[in-house]
Amino acid sequence: MEPFMVAKNINKTFVLHNQGAASLAVLQQQNLAIYAGECVVLNGSSGSGKSSLLRTLYGNYQVDQGELLIRQPAHQQSDQTESTWLDMATASPRQIIKLRQQTIGWVSQFLRVIPRLSALDIVMQPQLENGIPREQAKEKAQHLLHTLNVPEHLWQLAPATFSGGEQQRVNIARGFAVDYPLLLLDEPTASLDQHNAEQVIMLINQAKARGAAIVGIFHDTWVRDQVADRLHHMSSGTDLAVSQNQTEFQSISDRVG
Ligand SMILES: Nc1ncnc2c1ncn2[C@@H]1O[C@H](COP(=O)(O)OP(=O)(O)OP(=O)(O)O)[C@@H](O)[C@H]1O
C-alpha cells in the first residue's frame, strides 16, 4: 500500500530578521510517511519542533530543503486515471488553498472566531464549501456539536463569548465535519475534561476507521496511548516506514506531477 503523504529530508530554519538575523534550525532531516487509516503522533520534548512540523505539513511554512509529497487521488482530477503526487514544498498558493479545502483538515486547540457567525454555521461552513447540501451539512454539524456536548442553546450564538472549552469543542466539530483524507491535530484535547477528551478519541478512531490518515500532537499520554498507531520521534527525525522503504519512496519522488 502506498502512503498518503511522505515528508522526505525536511529542513526548516527560522531567521529572526528583527533580532539580529538570529537563526533557529528547528527541523533537521525529518522523514515521515503517513498511511490511510493510521494515526502518527509527533513525540519529543518541548521546543523539539512538533508544532513546526505539523504547520509545515499544512503548508504554513515554506521548507528550506526536502519534499512534502501528498497523494492526489485520481477521482479528484478530471484528467487522471491514476493517483499522482503533488510536492507541497513547491506548490502554488492556489494549490495549497485547494488542498486545505478538500484534502487536509486542521484542528488546533483554539477557535479562530469569525465575528457574527453562529457555532452551527462555523461547523457547517467547510462542508458547504465542499458542495455538501445545506440540510445534510446542518444535520452533521448538529450531530457533532451534540457528540461534543456543546449545549443546544448555544448553537445559534457566535462563539466569541463561549468558554475556552466550548470554543475548543466547536473547533473540533468544524475540523471533523468534512471527511478529509488527512487530518492534522494540534493538541485537540489540551483543555478538555476527561469525558469530552473521550469523545474526541472516539471521533479520531472513527476517522481512522473510514481511512483517514492522521498526524497529531497529544501531551496527555493516556490520550496518545489510545489513538497512536506509531510515534514519530522528533529527535531522530526518522520514521521506520521511510527508512525501511527507501526505494519505494524514491519511486514516489520520481512520479511527482
Ligand atoms: N514562527 C516562528 N519563528 C521563529 N521561531 C519559531 C517559530 N515557530 C517556532 N519557533 C521556534 O522553534 C522551536 C520549536 O518550536 P515548536 O513550537 O515547533 O516546538 P514544540 O515541540 O511544538 O514545543 P511545545 O511542546 O512546547 O509546544 C522553538 O524554539 C520556537 O521558539
Side-chain angles (χ1 to χ4, degrees), residues 14 16 24 26 45-52 61 187 217 219:
F14 289 113
L16 306 177
L24 288 170
V26 175
S45 55
S46 174
S48 60
K50 300 179 295 294
S51 291
S52 299
Y61 297 140
E187 295 190 54
I217 302 172
H219 280 141

Side-chain angles (χ1 to χ4, degrees), residues 111-122 125 154-162:
L111 175 68
R112 191 171 57 84
V113 176
I114 306 163
R116 291 192 294 278
L117 213 54
S118 73
L120 191 62
D121 284 336
I122 286 173
Q125 195 185 39
L154 296 180
W155 293 0
Q156 295 298 341
L157 303 179
T161 55
F162 289 11

Side-chain angles (χ1 to χ4, degrees), residues 1-78:
M1 188 174 59
E2 283 193 320
F4 189 75
M5 189 179 212
V6 180
K8 280 179 67 183
N9 300 325
I10 294 293
N11 288 275
K12 174 72 188 167
T13 296
F14 289 113
V15 180
L16 306 177
H17 294 287
N18 58 353
Q19 296 187 64
S23 69
L24 288 170
V26 175
L27 303 178
Q28 290 170 298
Q29 298 297 104
Q30 292 289 325
N31 288 285
L32 174 64
I34 310 139
Y35 290 81
E38 70 165 356
C39 177
V40 179
V41 173
L42 305 184
N43 194 41
S45 55
S46 174
S48 60
K50 300 179 295 294
S51 291
S52 299
L53 179 57
L54 204 65
R55 286 169 191 276
T56 301
L57 299 180
Y58 197 51
N60 272 4
Y61 297 140
Q62 188 82 44
V63 297
D64 303 323
Q65 212 186 324
E67 291 170 297
L68 211 50
L69 308 174
I70 184 153
R71 188 144 53 87
Q72 306 281 282
H75 70 265
Q76 283 181 7
Q77 308 166 79
S78 49

Side-chain angles (χ1 to χ4, degrees), residues 230-245:
R230 286 188 296 129
L231 299 182
H232 172 78
H233 299 285
M234 296 302 298
S235 51
S236 69
T238 303
D239 173 348
L240 211 58
V242 178
S243 53
Q244 284 175 344
N245 296 299

Side-chain angles (χ1 to χ4, degrees), residues 193-195 197-198 201 219-227:
D193 57 36
Q194 172 146 355
H195 175 63
E198 280 167 1
I201 291 168
H219 280 141
D220 286 334
T221 45
W222 75 270
V223 177
R224 191 186 68 192
D225 291 348
Q226 290 190 67
V227 298

